[in-house]
Amino acid sequence: MGEAVQRRFLGLTAVMAALGMTATLSACGGDAEAGDVTLKLVAADYGTGPENSSEKYWSGVAAGFEKEHPGIKVDVTVLHWKDVDREVAEMVKAGDAPDIAQIGAYADYAKAGKLYTADETLAIRTTANFLPGLTDAGKINGTLYGLPFVASTRLLFYNEQLFDQAGLDAPETWDDIRSDAAALKAKGVDYPFALPLGQEEAQAETLMWLLSGGGGYTDDVGSYDIDSAENVATFRWLRDNLVGEGLTGPVAPGKLDRAKAFEAFADGKVGMLNGHPTLMDKAEAEGIKVGMVPLPGSDGPTKGSMGVADWMMGFKENGHRQEIGSFFDYAYSDENVLEFAESYDLLPVTGSASAAMEADKKHKKLRPFLAALPNSTFTPYGKTSWATVSDAIKKKIGSAVAPGSNPESILGEVAAEATRAEAAE
């Protein structure tokens, strides 16, 4: 909702309050509980097994919502996170879209006119509570379609015991990474710096390094800038100073997936890597003392971090705009947002829940990640071309750091794919 419209709405609310009237701060309007409606909800499973399946969470949210809204039922389907985006796409293609989806991408559906906007569903107070950087990532042409559901950021992790044994301090610059990795290699560490540029999540690892080198996937106006001079220089540095010096371990970065790198870190075989909160807990459960610092950059610590988010969205197909809005407002209560984030070591997407988590001593370990989130840079979620570009990065980027490679040529190939994908929109 535009600022001017928001001011007018809030002004009207104040007048009504002064007159002793009750105003519903919702974009929905009307009675969302008139008649019996069943909302179909499809969500991703973030759990690792039946004991922590996300189905338990969503069933609890649905039960609480139904109790407060007796005219609305919620039919919950939870699918593995690797499958849920594909399954929802097939539902939409078959004309059987869910009313609500909690998945990894929204742009294609928004540009096809299949989604409600935030203005059409959310209460003003709900929209205003989202962290600004996340709402920016959920917009297309200034309109919010993708509602941030959960987020994460990245920091550089290092094994404190291995660093102590080598007499090292935490790195702050690329030069520190290189010298620390060389010292760790001399001590027999298998992976002095684990660089997972395998296809599992190469697009994320790549963005972290691009940001630390002063670049990124897009320029200041949001256009792709993948083969910029800054990005080329970053990959030349990786090729010459880490990979070429044998400091990234026994598996070539282009063949090393994130899951394998994280597993090696938890096993005590990795000196440094870029990590997220879930890895922190996994490693500490294995007895690894985890040090964390902002991503080192070419000249000092990177000011921002890479952010990751998943999204909620409301589909128009069944016409349940009011009911969807009521469910969204309920789902984004602090209680619900915090319960999900705490269950999976992730970060809340609302300002009030983030403040509550930061103030809670039991979440002290997450404070560096919470601090990094407001200044994080996200992949270009709002571009329908991003899926194609991301796939090209996954397939090609590992070869850009191989000894004897030409990073400028490989980044140029990805940039050309991005140009073609944008032209096809």
Side-chain angles (χ1 to χ4, degrees), residues 335-378:
E335 179 183 0
N336 288 327
V337 171
L338 283 169
E339 180 184 348
F340 193 89
E342 290 171 352
S343 296
Y344 300 105
D345 298 312
L346 294 167
L347 305 181
V349 296
T350 63
S352 57
S354 293
M357 180 174 277
E358 187 170 6
D360 192 334
K361 291 182 180 179
K362 71 180 181 181
H363 296 303
K364 183 178 179 180
K365 294 178 182 177
L366 289 176
R367 288 174 182 169
F369 297 96
L370 288 165
L373 185 57
N375 296 318
S376 291
T377 298
F378 296 84

Side-chain angles (χ1 to χ4, degrees), residues 2 7 54 60 64 81 89 98 106 116 128 142 156 188 204 212 228 311 349 355 393 399 403 415 420 422:
R7 286 196 296 269
S54 299
W81 65 268
Y106 66 87
Y116 290 118
L156 183 125
S212 69
S228 68
W311 310 93
V349 296
I393 293 166
S399 61
R420 287 193 292 271
E422 280 283 272

Side-chain angles (χ1 to χ4, degrees), residues 387-398:
T388 299
V389 176
S390 177
D391 189 56
I393 293 166
K394 291 177 181 180
K395 291 177 179 177
K396 296 176 182 290
I397 204 66

Side-chain angles (χ1 to χ4, degrees), residues 104-261:
Y106 66 87
D108 283 342
Y109 304 124
K111 289 202 171 181
K114 296 182 180 297
L115 300 183
Y116 290 118
T117 68
D119 287 354
E120 292 173 316
T121 53
L122 293 180
I124 293 174
R125 63 178 177 273
T126 304
T127 305
N129 199 21
F130 289 132
L131 295 172
L134 287 164
T135 53
D136 289 344
K139 290 178 179 179
I140 295 178
N141 296 327
T143 300
L144 182 61
Y145 291 95
L147 312 181
F149 174 70
V150 72
S152 182
T153 54
R154 301 290 190 267
L155 298 173
L156 183 125
F157 285 20
Y158 63 96
N159 184 314
E160 289 189 352
Q161 183 178 1
L162 295 179
F163 265 61
D164 288 345
Q165 291 172 354
L168 302 173
D169 295 322
E172 296 184 356
T173 66
W174 286 357
D175 285 343
D176 293 339
I177 288 177
R178 177 178 55 190
S179 60
D180 289 351
L184 292 166
K185 181 181 179 181
K187 289 288 186 178
V189 176
D190 290 348
Y191 294 86
F193 194 105
L195 184 65
L197 292 176
Q199 291 197 28
E200 181 191 351
E201 206 185 43
Q203 81 288 356
E205 184 73 17
T206 296
L207 181 55
M208 285 182 265
W209 282 99
L210 298 185
L211 293 172
S212 69
Y217 285 136
T218 58
D219 59 22
D220 292 340
V221 295
S223 299
Y224 284 119
D225 196 22
I226 293 170
D227 58 348
S228 68
E230 293 85 356
N231 293 347
V232 171
T234 293
F235 271 81
R236 283 178 177 163
W237 188 90
L238 288 171
R239 178 196 64 187
D240 297 340
N241 294 275
L242 289 186
V243 182
E245 294 296 322
L247 301 178
T248 54
V251 180
K255 296 185 180 299
L256 180 64
D257 282 341
R258 182 190 66 169
K260 292 297 183 182

Side-chain angles (χ1 to χ4, degrees), residues 25-30 32 119-123 321-326 329:
L25 295 180
S26 173
C28 303
D119 287 354
E120 292 173 316
T121 53
L122 293 180
R321 178 176 65 88
Q322 296 179 21
E323 294 84 358
I324 290 170
S326 295
D329 289 333

